[in-house]
Amino acid sequence: MKIRVPATSANLGPGFDSCGIALSMYLSVEVLGDSEQWEIIHTLGEDIPTDEKNLLVQTALKLAPSLAPKKLKMTSTIPLTRGLGSSSSVIVAGIELANRLGNLNLSELRKVELATQIEGHPDNVAPAICGDFVVACHFSERKENSVNYVKHYFPECDIIAFIPNTELLTSKSRGVLPENLPYKEAVKASAVANVMIAAVLNGNLPLAGKMMQEDRWHEIYRGKLVPHLSGIRQICKEEGAYGCFLSGAGPTILILTPAEKTERIIKILNALDSRAQVEHLSIDREGV
Ligand code: HSE
């Protein structure tokens, strides 16, 4: 049995903790067979446990505590701690593992609710489960009906990920956000998000991209942690991309562009920082 979960990019600028897209990079988990104890073969990094302490197994056992131990193989092309949903992909894989091995028959909604409870916000886990573009809201204080979401087709476009060679922990990136936002500022911030989402639903990428760069919830505070953000915004403007935004909590920056601009933008980004990884991606339409 094999499980494949896409990478995700959360927020899309103003859709903070709510919007996300699934991307064409993947975590794969293969069940190799029964085992005396949980055993995970992987090359993701020395710090990542190879036994039942691994987040994948922890998640699966939370849902199905009596699962018999297995030997698993885990491979991933999703860079860690770069804002591309690597930990969400593991949580979603753990839920799917429990669902299939334990015959839990979880609905898509239930998977989204369980994953959101574990992750804390739905904007990575929901598109990792559903694929494509997902807009979600999470009522963390509710035990039932805690997540509402809509999945929708994201208009066809090229996506370039500029992935810096430095990690940025979500906790650090959330730590620079303000406790409160003045009412008037919040109204403006949510209006920007509303137009961004409506433009995506209408297939109007130029307007969506413009709104993605008008975020007032988080990017203005996080910009100082991601030195390339303002330079890449300028490149997008000069080169005719639709727009760019911080992927999740950063430090990756995603650029949405018409296909004919892609090659030139990739060349410019490669020259900007030779240590950064620049990836040409597309939307994953399927999810887990
Ligand atoms: N919405 C979250 C954030 C995504 O921006 O902090 C990262 O996990």
Side-chain angles (χ1 to χ4, degrees):
M1 186 227 292
K2 215 169 177 178
I3 294 167
R4 195 183 78 151
V5 187
T8 47
S9 180
N11 302 330
L12 279 71
F16 182 66
D17 275 2
S18 170
C19 296
I21 46 176
L23 297 168
S24 57
M25 288 193 279
Y26 297 94
L27 167 79
S28 299
V29 175
E30 195 178 345
V31 179
L32 300 177
D34 294 329
S35 180
E36 290 286 297
Q37 50 206 7
W38 289 96
E39 188 187 341
I40 304 169
I41 301 168
H42 72 75
T43 51
L44 303 184
E46 284 173 10
D47 297 343
I48 299 185
T50 54
D51 56 13
E52 76 283 350
K53 289 193 217 64
N54 190 292
L55 180 60
L56 176 81
V57 181
Q58 297 264 309
T59 305
L61 290 177
K62 206 173 274 182
L63 269 66
S66 55
L67 275 187
K70 302 279 176 208
K71 184 173 183 179
L72 308 168
K73 186 175 171 200
M74 188 155 84
T75 52
S76 181
T77 56
I78 310 173
L80 306 181
T81 59
R82 296 294 189 281
L84 288 163
S86 58
S87 68
S88 291
S89 69
V90 178
I91 291 168
V92 169
I95 289 174
E96 195 56 25
L97 190 70
N99 187 40
R100 295 203 205 163
L101 292 177
N103 296 314
L104 303 183
N105 282 321
L106 298 174
S107 66
E108 184 188 87
L109 171 62
R110 194 65 197 127
K111 288 181 204 171
V112 172
E113 284 185 327
L114 289 165
T116 302
Q117 272 166 22
I118 297 169
E119 177 71 355
H121 35 82
D123 45 348
N124 287 110
V125 291
I129 291 166
C130 309
D132 227 314
F133 172 55
V134 181
V135 184
C137 69
H138 177 213
F139 298 100
S140 52
E141 68 285 2
R142 295 185 192 163
K143 284 222 162 60
E144 282 174 26
N145 302 319
S146 61
V147 181
N148 293 274
Y149 68 91
V150 172
K151 171 183 170 173
H152 196 276
Y153 180 79
F154 194 85
E156 205 57 63
C157 67
D158 274 17
I159 301 172
I160 304 167
F162 177 85
I163 309 167
N165 186 27
T166 47
E167 65 168 31
L168 178 54
L169 295 177
T170 300
S171 52
K172 182 172 177 193
S173 190
R174 289 182 89 85
V176 300
L177 303 179
E179 279 281 306
N180 298 296
L181 204 59
Y183 190 81
K184 274 189 178 165
E185 193 55 22
V187 169
K188 217 184 289 171
S190 86
V192 171
N194 297 340
V195 176
M196 184 276 283
I197 293 164
V200 170
L201 303 192
N202 260 351
N204 185 344
L205 281 176
L207 180 57
K210 189 173 160 195
M211 293 297 106
M212 285 169 187
Q213 297 194 175
E214 291 286 351
D215 164 62
R216 288 164 153 78
W217 295 116
H218 67 114
E219 289 197 9
I220 46 172
Y221 308 104
R222 289 171 161 173
K224 58 185 174 218
L225 301 174
V226 187
H228 285 306
L229 185 57
S230 58
I232 291 181
R233 278 204 189 115
Q234 189 58 30
I235 292 167
C236 284
K237 199 170 156 193
E238 286 165 12
E239 299 301 324
Y242 295 125
C244 68
F245 53 86
L246 207 53
S247 184
T252 293
I253 298 164
L254 279 204
I255 296 115
L256 305 186
T257 177
E260 66 274 15
K261 315 270 184 192
T262 303
E263 206 180 311
R264 192 175 144 79
I265 295 175
I266 288 179
K267 206 184 250 177
I268 295 171
L269 294 177
N270 274 323
L272 189 67
D273 181 351
S274 58
R275 291 163 309 159
Q277 186 185 338
V278 179
E279 294 285 343
H280 182 183
L281 304 172
S282 56
I283 298 281
D284 171 276
R285 305 278 178 199
E286 286 173 26
V288 68

